[in-house]
Amino acid sequence: MIHKKCVSLPRIIKTTWHHHEIIHNYFFQKQELEKHGCGICFGELLMKYGSYDCLKQDCNFVAHVDCAMEKYLATGQINDQDEESSENLASITCVIEMNQHGEATKIKHFSHEHDLTLDNKIKEDNDKRCDACMLSISTSFYYCSQCEFLLHKTCVELPRKKHHWFHESLFTLHVENTFQCGLCYHYCSGFAYHGNNTYKFCLRCVGISRIIPRQRHKHTLFFDFDLNKGQCNACGDYIHRGYKCKDCTFVLHVKCMALPQRARHKCDKHFLELTFHDENADLEEYYCDICEGQRDPNHWFYHCAICDNSAHPKCVFGKYPFLKKKIGETYKVWNHHHPLICVKKSYDICLRCGLPCQDIALECKSCNFTLHFDCLDLEDLVAF
Ligand SMILES: [Zn+2]
Ligand SMILES: [Zn+2]
Ligand SMILES: [Zn+2]
Ligand SMILES: [Zn+2]
Ligand SMILES: [Zn+2]
Ligand SMILES: [Zn+2]
Ligand SMILES: [Zn+2]
Ligand SMILES: [Zn+2]
């Protein structure tokens, strides 16, 4: 027997949950996938009911009909290629010059008023950051010859519009001054994808899948919109939305999922490696070599095996790793009526903690005070 409502189901749909088109079958066909469960809710799949299966032969995605229909985008054939390369969706608004390999060497980009030039000389430079994703530049990038503005080649080529599994609305790329990312909750500068006028996602988070096969945990993790319980297994902080294990009680913040495998900090001349468990079982207490505070050996930390330095991730990156901290940049805070300006200081005392500001700091020129970036409260900052 087949329900009336099932007869009228669209045959081929594209859902926000999966990057390929899926096709409706009245009976669950791919028997060998039974043990995988539904690719959306992870619940059991039963032979006698219908399902939506991925059209691609080598893809194992299968979903309950109700789960697929809950968040589908459109019926019929959608061509991904058309979607991503069509002219009005490109971030490069004009190619001015090309080299013999067909690479755009001089371009106009929607995010910047001046022309940008390609630089393929790859060098490790920790001080140069991409103005889109705020990460350091170590691969090909575009630069502005009239002002200080850099973009990774990969960030230049991002589509203006794209779909994201988080919400069925089309996400559009914008340039932001300061915003709070709806996935990692970091305050960020640079580019953001906006969805439904409500969500703003940073470029580091927007590429993370909803389902993460065994990488940083022994089982598959999937994003849960309403976790609302417990502590993150990586950092120990409260977690209300994030990744959850399909098979055990493991939960993880998006910001912890997004931690890079290697990082640098001035406390050590080598790269620090992200480590998931402290094997040093004979220690009674564990400390962070940056803040000298205690460390839970079951939480993730950064480690240099050569120098035996260990540190909290939050100490390695500081409180606002993705805010543009360029000299002359201004910031609005809700509890002060003047904007704060980013300056380089060598001795001024911080208004909050009383310690000297020895590097980049915030200053109010009108009231004559200085503040460490990290002494700014998260809530103080106003997105503008
Ligand atoms: Zn970038
Ligand atoms: Zn410029
Ligand atoms: Zn984010
Ligand atoms: Zn965490
Ligand atoms: Zn698990
Ligand atoms: Zn620490
Ligand atoms: Zn070292
Ligand atoms: Zn002031």
Side-chain angles (χ1 to χ4, degrees):
M1 192 193 86
I2 290 165
H3 291 127
K4 220 178 179 167
K5 75 161 198 205
C6 295
V7 176
S8 58
L9 283 170
R11 210 169 86 83
I12 293 171
I13 63 169
K14 174 118 179 135
T15 161
T16 47
W17 296 124
H18 191 63
H19 47 287
H20 304 131
E21 286 168 315
I22 52 178
I23 180 162
H24 179 237
N25 285 309
Y26 288 108
F27 299 100
F28 175 53
Q29 314 231 311
K30 295 183 177 174
Q31 255 186 79
E32 72 278 15
L33 294 179
E34 216 165 359
K35 59 183 187 306
H36 285 263
C38 167
I40 296 171
C41 74
F42 297 104
E44 198 184 349
L45 288 160
L46 292 170
M47 278 287 286
K48 57 180 178 178
Y49 298 127
S51 63
Y52 272 98
D53 302 353
C54 184
L55 271 176
K56 287 238 157 56
Q57 284 303 316
D58 52 344
C59 180
N60 283 342
F61 184 88
V62 188
H64 289 129
V65 170
D66 288 347
C67 293
M69 290 306 288
E70 197 190 321
K71 276 206 174 179
Y72 87 100
L73 293 169
T75 53
Q77 302 275 333
I78 301 175
N79 193 330
D80 267 329
Q81 266 77 47
D82 286 355
E83 203 172 53
E84 311 231 318
S85 65
S86 88
E87 229 161 83
N88 58 334
L89 297 178
S91 298
I92 299 175
T93 51
C94 177
V95 176
I96 303 165
E97 277 169 27
M98 271 216 231
N99 64 14
Q100 65 268 44
H101 312 292
E103 263 182 322
T105 47
K106 198 166 193 183
I107 57 159
K108 283 192 188 298
H109 195 263
F110 86 97
S111 65
H112 198 70
E113 54 183 323
H114 311 124
D115 299 346
L116 302 177
T117 310
L118 181 67
D119 188 338
N120 274 324
K121 290 190 292 292
I122 296 160
K123 49 185 176 273
E124 187 81 36
D125 186 346
N126 261 316
D127 293 334
K128 285 207 167 76
R129 280 169 182 263
C130 167
D131 283 282
C133 67
M134 295 295 132
L135 298 174
S136 59
I137 300 263
S138 58
T139 53
S140 300
F141 64 95
Y142 285 89
Y143 66 93
C144 174
S145 52
Q146 284 163 269
C147 66
E148 224 182 284
F149 187 80
L150 300 172
L151 294 176
H152 286 121
K153 190 167 183 282
T154 48
C155 290
V156 155
E157 291 162 356
L158 288 168
R160 288 290 289 278
K161 293 184 162 95
K162 68 181 261 147
H163 290 296
H164 192 269
W165 51 262
F166 192 90
H167 192 266
E168 61 268 31
S169 64
L170 197 58
F171 282 70
T172 51
L173 192 59
H174 290 259
V175 183
E176 291 275 345
N177 199 319
T178 313
F179 70 99
Q180 191 179 19
C181 170
L183 287 170
C184 66
Y185 300 114
H186 275 299
Y187 278 90
C188 310
S189 314
F191 291 7
Y193 274 103
H194 292 197
N196 195 29
N197 294 326
T198 331
Y199 312 107
K200 290 185 182 182
F201 297 156
C202 76
L203 297 189
R204 297 170 307 280
C205 291
V206 89
I208 304 180
S209 313
R210 194 182 72 92
I211 299 167
I212 314 275
R214 282 163 263 154
Q215 280 171 9
R216 295 188 161 182
H217 176 65
K218 55 182 186 283
H219 309 124
T220 298
L221 302 176
F222 67 96
F223 187 85
D224 192 323
F225 288 82
D226 194 16
L227 222 51
N228 224 347
K229 60 160 193 269
Q231 293 167 306
C232 168
N233 284 74
C235 69
D237 290 345
Y238 174 77
I239 182 165
H240 101 99
R241 185 179 264 183
Y243 285 89
K244 178 170 140 182
C245 178
K246 182 175 174 287
D247 302 307
C248 74
T249 58
F250 188 90
V251 288
L252 194 62
H253 288 124
V254 178
K255 69 166 189 215
C256 293
M257 175 73 86
L259 285 171
Q261 189 51 45
R262 309 173 90 199
R264 276 203 186 272
H265 186 272
K266 59 177 188 288
C267 76
D268 201 295
K269 61 174 189 280
H270 310 107
F271 270 107
L272 303 170
E273 291 284 337
L274 184 63
T275 311
F276 305 114
H277 186 76
D278 204 323
E279 304 293 336
N280 223 334
D282 40 299
L283 290 179
E284 244 167 60
E285 275 166 337
Y286 299 81
Y287 291 96
C288 166
D289 289 299
I290 298 174
C291 72
E292 291 173 2
Q294 281 205 14
R295 208 162 48 71
D296 184 324
N298 296 312
H299 291 160
W300 295 5
F301 63 102
Y302 280 94
H303 185 63
C304 169
I306 304 163
C307 312
D308 197 25
N309 275 328
S310 300
H312 295 121
K314 65 170 193 277
C315 294
V316 171
F317 296 108
K319 212 158 141 190
Y320 302 111
F322 308 120
L323 268 193
K324 191 186 209 164
K325 295 170 193 164
K326 254 186 204 167
I327 308 225
E329 197 80 23
T330 55
Y331 304 86
K332 265 188 201 161
V333 292
W334 73 267
N335 54 4
H336 193 71
H337 48 287
H338 306 123
L340 303 181
I341 302 163
C342 183
V343 288
K344 194 159 180 117
K345 288 284 177 185
S346 48
Y347 50 85
D348 291 45
I349 297 299
C350 170
L351 184 74
R352 279 272 160 81
C353 71
L355 296 168
C357 296
Q358 282 165 329
D359 195 11
I360 276 177
L362 293 165
E363 183 179 49
C364 175
K365 299 257 193 234
S366 317
C367 309
N368 199 21
F369 68 76
T370 314
L371 203 62
H372 287 118
F373 255 101
D374 283 8
C375 287
L376 198 67
D377 276 333
L378 220 61
E379 295 72 28
D380 287 348
L381 209 61
V382 177
F384 68 111

